[in-house]
Amino acid sequence: MKNANLKPDSMLDRTRGGTAAGALRDLLRLEQVRLVYEQLLSSQLIAVLNAAVFVAVQSLVIEASVLIAWLAAVCVLALIRIAGVIAFRSAAPHAGQIGRWRFFAIAGAAVSGILWGSAAWLLFPPMNVAHQGFVAFILGGMVAGSVTTLAPVFPAFLAYAVLTLVPAVVRFPLQQDYVHYAMGWLIAVFLAAVIVIARRSHEHMSDMLRLRIENAELTGELHATREKLRLARQSGDAGRA
């Protein structure tokens, strides 16, 4: 985790006037959202690459027009989210402005989840078990990878994971045989497991960020006290002179 953006003087000045608990909460949200945006560029490039591989494999069993439309949607969404990263960096929001950026992060994750979840229906070949299994594999892999990139803002991860995997949980049992019933159940168990893991990861990162913010505040107060003592000492020396 990068700590370069934790500048106690500037951040505490911006939150001055609010309660200490409220200021800490705002600063914590700022750092959580910043972590998500820092990883969005790489995660979107990986998403496009995975989508291209996914489409290439499913091209053997799915109509080209459906594949092209789905891949185009993934690419467009990736460009929009990358533009959001650029806008976030340009805006350099402080703690009091983080609400809308947090909302954009959650909304982007939700739309991405809807798009990837649609693959469980649009890119699901009813008569080919091997390619059905590949659908489950790619969707599970995307959700597993998002634990690291989205866990700092837990609602973003939750929206993405649920919207990506629930369609598969519903789609597989519709094949109406024991293997597909089992696959649907295993995907549901996997979803529950990654939610628990992501929640714990979120809490762990939040604790670390909270300690860093509190340490930064204490360091800022220490510097301020030292400066006051230095000025007082200088004034005393001048008075004796």
Side-chain angles (χ1 to χ4, degrees), residues 95-111:
Q97 300 172 326
I98 206 61
R100 67 189 183 100
W101 293 103
R102 188 173 186 272
F103 171 79
F104 292 152
I106 295 171
V111 174

Side-chain angles (χ1 to χ4, degrees), residues 75-98:
C75 293
V76 169
L77 179 59
L79 289 175
I80 292 173
R81 299 186 76 187
I82 289 172
V85 174
I86 296 172
F88 179 83
R89 292 176 177 175
S90 299
H94 58 73
Q97 300 172 326
I98 206 61

Side-chain angles (χ1 to χ4, degrees), residues 230-241:
R230 186 182 65 81
L231 292 175
R233 191 178 298 111
Q234 289 179 347
S235 298
D237 291 342
R240 286 193 297 271

Side-chain angles (χ1 to χ4, degrees), residues 110-191:
V111 174
S112 182
I114 292 171
L115 188 54
W116 280 94
S118 69
W121 295 84
L122 299 177
L123 278 64
F124 187 95
M127 304 305 295
N128 191 304
V129 175
H131 285 265
Q132 292 170 6
F134 190 68
V135 171
F137 173 80
I138 197 75
L139 296 182
M142 292 297 296
V143 170
S146 70
V147 171
T148 300
T149 58
L150 294 178
V153 179
F154 184 70
F157 171 80
L158 190 62
Y160 177 75
V162 170
L163 292 171
T164 297
L165 291 182
V166 167
V169 172
V170 175
R171 182 66 183 89
F172 274 91
L174 293 180
Q175 294 299 105
Q176 298 182 351
D177 60 61
Y178 290 117
V179 171
H180 288 86
Y181 290 147
M183 290 184 71
W185 168 253
L186 290 174
I187 294 171
V189 171
F190 173 77
L191 174 59

